[in-house]
Amino acid sequence: MMGPVRGYKKRKKQDKKHDENGSSASGSPQNKEGPLDWWHDFSKRINGLQQSPSKSLDSFQAVFKISRNTFEYICSLVKEDMKTKSAHFIFTSGKPMSLYDQVAVALRRLGSGDSLVTIGDSFGLNHSTVSQVTWRFVESMEERGLHHLQWPTESEMVAIKSKFEQVRGLPNCCGVIDATHITMCLPASEPSSNVWLDHEKNHSMVLQAIVDADMRFRDIVTGWPGKMKDWLVFESSNFCKLCDKGDRLNGKTLLVSEGCEIREYIIGDLGYPLLPYLLVPYEGKELAEPKANFNRQHFATRMLGQRALMRLKEMWKIIQGSMWRPDKHRLPRIILVCCLLHNIVIDMEDEVQDELSLAHNHDSGYHQLICGASDAKGASLREKLSLYLTRILPP
């Protein structure tokens, strides 16, 4: 399937009227009032256990950081999987968990980063149940929600390039690439611990992401150890291979001046090579004005990638901290689902995300490693762009 369908949420809203939610909070099917009744009952169980001020203790958005519409849409995605696999999920009181209960617990686990025990104590569940419910949700989402993370269609790309140009004037730009470290807590005695030890002496896993002008993830790579340099992660990616073969970033060129065409490209920082389709800043401090101006425009546009990763880690705190003693096969799948949820919030036009306070750095404590590799065609394209941005191209 190609990218998200904007009208999907309205259609799903009608479907939810017929959704029993895996038995409602009162034990019987509900219509429109089901979600409200469920939240009224559910919020009583967690009341007094949150860190939010009292005025927002009963706020759905304060607990889950998403709107109710987004929550119900996510429920609609995983409904069939969660209902068929959840026969034995119960609260410590003996009450069966409804669909809403399960999704709420999984989202709280992913969003808060709290331990299994803390989540279990908050919601009246055994920590093993929290683990099983969360994993069922992850398994379902990575299949049912995958259409929310796709490379743009041709028509979508036209809109994306237009938005990028509106940011700081970069024409024909298709995306921003960046990478971040997902830190892990591994005991030194673990045989593979050195494999995951990065250049800052943390155990970590890399997440590489290409984002569009709305900070939506369009391509991700994860699973590599954190010590792997950004350019090596990129060069090993399928995206890079497709670009090298001419099967990606191969859309229409843009004529910006007589005899001067700009091809499609993405931008990244100095951790990446300068390629025909990947433009990085000029190095050095005493730069001529066209180059200095290019770097300023480049940096301002590149901030979209940084903000996307900051928002990802701020909303889905399970990947922000270093509380993990993870199964390295499961962690990439959890990272993927957090990226899917990030995109769903954007696709649902959820305004709650705008209220998040973002950190200044998505990769705090990590220093930039410079690649330095340069391709002649990439250098030529960057030169054309720098002259175009200062409007001194020959007529």
Side-chain angles (χ1 to χ4, degrees):
M1 294 177 67
M2 296 295 181
V5 181
R6 282 282 175 187
Y8 199 50
K9 58 182 176 181
K10 294 181 181 177
R11 189 166 69 251
K12 282 293 181 183
K13 215 170 182 180
Q14 298 301 316
D15 296 342
K16 285 193 289 288
K17 295 179 182 180
H18 307 289
D19 177 16
E20 296 179 4
N21 303 320
S23 85
S24 70
S26 62
S28 60
Q30 299 287 324
N31 292 323
K32 288 183 183 179
E33 302 308 313
L36 296 176
D37 289 350
W38 166 82
W39 171 242
H40 178 72
D41 180 72
F42 192 83
S43 61
K44 288 180 180 177
R45 295 189 218 122
I46 60 175
N47 194 23
L49 297 175
Q50 309 304 317
Q51 297 177 356
S52 307
S54 58
K55 63 181 180 180
S56 61
L57 267 178
D58 293 328
S59 166
F60 185 96
Q61 295 176 353
V63 175
F64 299 110
K65 296 184 284 190
I66 59 175
S67 69
R68 297 189 192 206
N69 280 346
T70 302
F71 178 84
E72 291 176 44
Y73 171 68
I74 293 169
C75 287
S76 75
L77 287 179
V78 301
K79 176 176 67 174
E80 294 306 318
D81 295 331
M82 299 298 279
K83 285 171 70 173
T84 56
K85 297 177 180 178
S86 64
H88 304 296
F89 292 150
I90 60 173
F91 291 98
T92 51
S93 64
K95 178 184 175 182
M97 294 183 72
S98 71
L99 168 67
Y100 279 2
D101 291 332
Q102 294 171 61
V103 173
V105 167
L107 289 177
R108 182 64 183 170
R109 167 74 170 142
L110 297 176
S112 71
D114 290 340
S115 69
L116 296 172
V117 173
T118 299
I119 299 290
D121 289 347
S122 298
F123 297 154
L125 293 163
N126 291 320
H127 73 268
S128 60
T129 303
V130 176
S131 177
Q132 292 173 54
V133 167
T134 303
W135 188 244
R136 293 289 194 205
F137 176 80
V138 167
E139 287 183 315
S140 180
M141 275 299 301
E142 64 183 347
E143 178 182 350
R144 306 291 184 181
L146 197 57
H147 60 284
H148 283 277
L149 203 164
Q150 299 285 346
W151 190 250
T153 62
E154 187 175 343
S155 60
E156 287 172 335
M157 187 60 85
V158 171
I160 288 169
K161 291 192 287 189
S162 175
K163 286 182 179 180
F164 270 122
E165 188 162 10
Q166 291 169 25
V167 175
R168 286 302 286 269
L170 290 180
N172 231 24
C173 179
C174 299
V176 178
I177 187 169
D178 204 349
T180 195
H181 291 82
I182 310 299
T183 54
M184 306 183 287
C185 184
L186 296 181
S189 59
E190 182 168 320
S192 66
S193 64
N194 284 342
V195 173
W196 301 96
L197 198 63
D198 60 37
H199 58 278
E200 298 294 346
K201 307 303 180 186
N202 299 316
H203 293 102
S204 67
M205 184 177 286
V206 172
L207 166 62
Q208 173 189 284
I210 299 173
V211 307
D212 66 19
D214 292 316
M215 296 190 285
R216 184 186 289 105
F217 296 119
R218 289 299 189 166
D219 185 280
I220 67 166
V221 175
T222 192
W224 292 105
K227 64 182 178 183
M228 196 163 171
K229 296 177 176 65
D230 290 354
W231 64 87
L232 295 177
V233 174
F234 176 71
E235 288 170 359
S236 69
S237 70
N238 188 52
F239 181 88
C240 178
K241 293 177 174 62
L242 288 172
C243 289
D244 286 341
K245 290 193 299 183
D247 294 334
R248 187 73 90 221
L249 298 177
N250 58 351
K252 292 180 180 179
T253 59
L254 182 67
L255 184 67
V256 295
S257 178
E258 184 66 33
C260 182
E261 291 185 326
I262 304 295
R263 62 160 292 163
E264 288 187 340
Y265 60 92
I266 60 173
I267 65 172
D269 60 29
L270 289 170
Y272 296 97
L274 176 62
L275 298 171
Y277 51 83
L278 201 175
L279 300 185
V280 301
Y282 288 99
E283 289 188 67
K285 295 182 179 179
E286 302 296 328
L287 297 171
E289 182 52 28
K291 294 181 179 181
N293 181 61
F294 173 84
N295 278 7
R296 287 192 294 270
Q297 314 293 65
H298 187 282
F299 176 79
T301 308
R302 202 170 74 240
M303 279 300 296
L304 290 170
Q306 294 189 30
R307 287 181 60 82
L309 290 172
M310 285 188 278
R311 181 174 286 174
L312 174 75
K313 286 187 169 182
E314 187 60 35
M315 279 202 70
W316 309 105
K317 291 186 176 178
I318 197 165
I319 60 172
Q320 184 188 68
S322 53
M323 57 162 285
W324 285 91
R325 285 182 173 80
D327 176 335
K328 271 75 67 183
H329 298 293
R330 285 191 170 192
L331 183 52
R333 297 169 70 182
I334 291 171
I335 294 170
L336 166 62
V337 168
C338 289
C339 290
L340 293 175
L341 291 168
H342 168 100
N343 282 4
I344 286 171
V345 169
I346 295 172
D347 294 338
M348 293 295 290
E349 300 174 4
D350 195 326
E351 296 176 356
V352 179
Q353 63 180 332
D354 298 328
E355 299 170 15
L356 283 177
S357 59
L358 299 180
H360 296 296
N361 189 344
H362 64 74
D363 226 8
S364 182
Y366 285 87
H367 302 289
Q368 175 79 70
L369 297 179
I370 296 176
C371 175
S374 178
D375 175 274
K377 289 183 179 178
S380 175
L381 176 59
R382 185 172 65 179
E383 181 74 9
K384 289 178 187 177
L385 271 175
S386 65
L387 293 175
Y388 168 75
L389 291 171
T390 48
R391 302 300 192 270
I392 56 176
L393 276 173

